Amino acid sequence: MYKFIFRPVLFLFPPEATHHLVVFILKLSFWIPGKSAVLRLFYCVKDERLKRKLFGLTFENPVGLAAGFDKDAKFFDEMANLGFGFIEVGTVTPKPQPGNNKPRLFRLTEDEALINRMGFNNDGVEAMVERLKRRKNFKVIIGGNIGKNKTTPNENALADYEYCFEKLYSYVDYFCVNVSSPNTPGLRELQEKEPLKKLLSRLKQLNIQKGNPKPILLKIAPDLTNKQLDDIIDIVRETKIDGVVATNTTVSRSGLQSSDIRLRSIGSGGLSGKPLAKRSTEVIKYLHEKSNGSFPIIASGGIHSAEDAIEKLHAGASLVQLYTGISYEGPSLISQINKAILK
Ligand SMILES: Cc1cc2nc3c(=O)[nH]c(=O)nc-3n(C[C@H](O)[C@H](O)[C@H](O)COP(=O)(O)O)c2cc1C
């Protein structure tokens, strides 16, 4: 129904407007009594065999919502009724920031992909905390994806991550450290061995000082070389963080159906969706095999069907996250994946 009725209408609007429209309708519809129960009945797949225990957390099922969809933790409670086992909010930065100029989100319909250069538009971590304080659903795991402000130079980036970590600590179940967005100038340089080790060691140190440490994950780019992936494995081992989210969006434009003219008119940004699937799976497989499966991996990148999700799990991922697939396939993708995993 989504693909043949809703999607053609939604795709008439520019993608960022569609996102806000969908979220507005979703939020509004929750004023209808019983709406969440109906949605849960329709979308949630409940089965003990779907439960996953990872980093000391119990996930009701292995399908999550990737970062960037609910950047400000404005509708995670509503999204929870669609059957997700976990939802990652953010990327959030210490101070609010508007992000890049619009338009900054583009659809490549022929490729079933998106290009975005949102640039961490968000209301800031304090606003996020206020919303998370009103969290209603504690069954769905909430991850906090943290980043740095655009105006913060890389030399001071650590302070931004520390600030978000401290503020969010009591309100999220795990952290995801984002150093892999292509849309904040210089951010990806933090993926280099020394700055990354310093950053993760410091967060780990802060975490240990807490009574009840939270799992810390690192989100990496799909554009890293094998040598850089080897460094990531070393860093995960040395800093003893809990796992990796692989992958963020790519800066590559290879193998796309969309015309060069269209791609040139869009310009820079991170590509997500179907064309990312292959590379993202390669990264997962490489990390899993080279590390002898010594840390959990959350798969993100181009999951548009149950088969795509299962491929990621076979490559070595323990959980999967969706973003672009939801916009092309609709929310039934979540239950389709869970049902396929049960089979
Ligand atoms: C519009 C948009 C905004 C995004 N914003 C973020 C973000 O703020 N932080 C982040 O870590 N990833 C962000 N991502 C990346 C997604 O979380 C995901 O890793 C990526 O899109 C690959 O998955 P997909 O192919 O299923 O979309 C964003 C993706 C899109 C399309």
Side-chain angles (χ1 to χ4, degrees), residues 179-226:
V179 285
S180 50
S181 165
N183 302 314
T184 295
L187 187 84
R188 285 180 159 203
E189 287 161 23
L190 296 173
Q191 288 178 121
E192 292 302 326
K193 199 166 185 178
E194 286 318 310
L196 190 55
K197 216 156 67 178
K198 204 169 143 199
L199 171 61
L200 295 176
S201 304
R202 178 67 189 136
L203 293 179
K204 190 74 196 180
Q205 194 186 16
L206 286 177
N207 203 23
I208 290 168
Q209 286 165 12
K210 309 276 179 190
N212 173 26
K214 301 271 159 100
I216 300 178
L217 310 177
L218 170 71
K219 186 161 180 179
I220 61 167
D223 308 313
L224 299 177
T225 61
N226 285 354

Side-chain angles (χ1 to χ4, degrees), residues 66-68 71 88 90-91 105 114 116 118 120 145 178 219 247-249 272-273 276 300-303 321-325:
K71 282 180 184 282
E88 202 169 296
T91 298
L105 180 57
L114 294 170
N116 91 82
M118 307 299 286
F120 292 170
N145 182 306
N178 183 6
K219 186 161 180 179
T247 65
N248 212 317
T249 56
S272 60
L276 175 60
S300 160
I303 301 172
Q321 286 183 327
L322 315 175
Y323 191 136
T324 309

Side-chain angles (χ1 to χ4, degrees), residues 18-304:
T18 305
H19 180 79
H20 293 304
L21 181 70
V22 167
V23 166
F24 175 73
I25 294 171
L26 183 76
K27 276 219 113 132
L28 200 70
S29 71
F30 276 84
W31 289 96
I32 304 170
K35 171 75 193 265
S36 32
V38 172
L39 277 184
R40 281 202 301 274
L41 199 71
F42 201 69
Y43 288 112
C44 292
V45 183
K46 281 202 174 272
D47 195 300
E48 282 298 310
R49 290 169 298 161
L50 286 173
K51 284 195 176 167
R52 297 289 183 275
K53 281 195 195 318
L54 278 175
F55 358 97
L57 300 173
T58 302
F59 295 76
E60 288 295 307
N61 70 66
V63 185
L65 180 65
F69 198 96
D70 189 6
K71 282 180 184 282
D72 285 309
K74 282 183 174 162
F75 40 86
F76 62 93
D77 264 326
E78 286 82 358
M79 293 299 284
N81 292 299
L82 298 179
F84 288 111
F86 63 113
I87 292 177
E88 202 169 296
V89 295
T91 298
V92 70
T93 56
K95 286 179 278 183
Q97 60 178 29
N100 291 321
N101 292 336
K102 294 179 190 171
R104 53 191 179 180
L105 180 57
F106 308 86
R107 254 182 230 117
L108 302 181
T109 315
E110 308 93 298
D111 290 294
E112 296 188 48
L114 294 170
I115 290 179
N116 91 82
R117 52 167 173 275
M118 307 299 286
F120 292 170
N121 53 307
N122 77 101
D123 294 346
V125 71
E126 261 109 21
M128 177 178 274
V129 165
E130 288 312 309
R131 294 189 189 109
L132 288 170
K133 280 182 185 168
R134 298 194 291 271
R135 173 177 177 183
K136 292 190 200 87
N137 185 325
F138 285 86
K139 275 219 141 175
V140 172
I141 299 287
I142 300 293
N145 182 306
I146 56 177
K148 75 164 192 79
N149 279 112
K150 185 178 178 181
T151 50
T152 305
N154 276 2
E155 309 87 83
N156 304 337
L158 211 154
D160 275 17
Y161 286 91
E162 265 188 55
Y163 190 82
C164 291
F165 180 85
E166 288 287 2
K167 289 280 168 190
L168 277 183
Y169 180 78
S170 306
Y171 306 99
V172 294
D173 302 307
Y174 74 86
F175 282 96
C176 180
V177 179
N178 183 6
V179 285
S180 50
S181 165
N183 302 314
T184 295
L187 187 84
R188 285 180 159 203
E189 287 161 23
L190 296 173
Q191 288 178 121
E192 292 302 326
K193 199 166 185 178
E194 286 318 310
L196 190 55
K197 216 156 67 178
K198 204 169 143 199
L199 171 61
L200 295 176
S201 304
R202 178 67 189 136
L203 293 179
K204 190 74 196 180
Q205 194 186 16
L206 286 177
N207 203 23
I208 290 168
Q209 286 165 12
K210 309 276 179 190
N212 173 26
K214 301 271 159 100
I216 300 178
L217 310 177
L218 170 71
K219 186 161 180 179
I220 61 167
D223 308 313
L224 299 177
T225 61
N226 285 354
K227 164 80 184 63
Q228 288 172 309
L229 291 176
D230 292 339
D231 288 347
I232 296 289
I233 294 172
D234 288 345
I235 292 168
V236 173
R237 281 197 186 124
E238 281 175 41
T239 59
K240 297 193 173 58
I241 60 158
D242 299 85
V244 167
V245 179
T247 65
N248 212 317
T249 56
T250 176
V251 291
S252 163
R253 298 290 186 264
S254 69
L256 296 178
Q257 304 292 312
S258 306
S259 70
D260 282 349
I261 298 173
R262 168 86 177 125
L263 293 174
R264 246 180 280 130
S265 76
I266 291 172
S268 65
L271 174 77
S272 60
K274 271 202 171 165
L276 175 60
K278 185 168 167 279
R279 177 59 193 155
S280 152
T281 308
E282 277 169 12
V283 170
I284 293 163
K285 205 164 185 303
Y286 187 89
L287 290 178
H288 182 69
E289 284 175 2
K290 274 276 197 155
S291 68
N292 294 318
S294 60
F295 53 83
I297 300 169
I298 300 184
S300 160
I303 301 172
H304 286 231

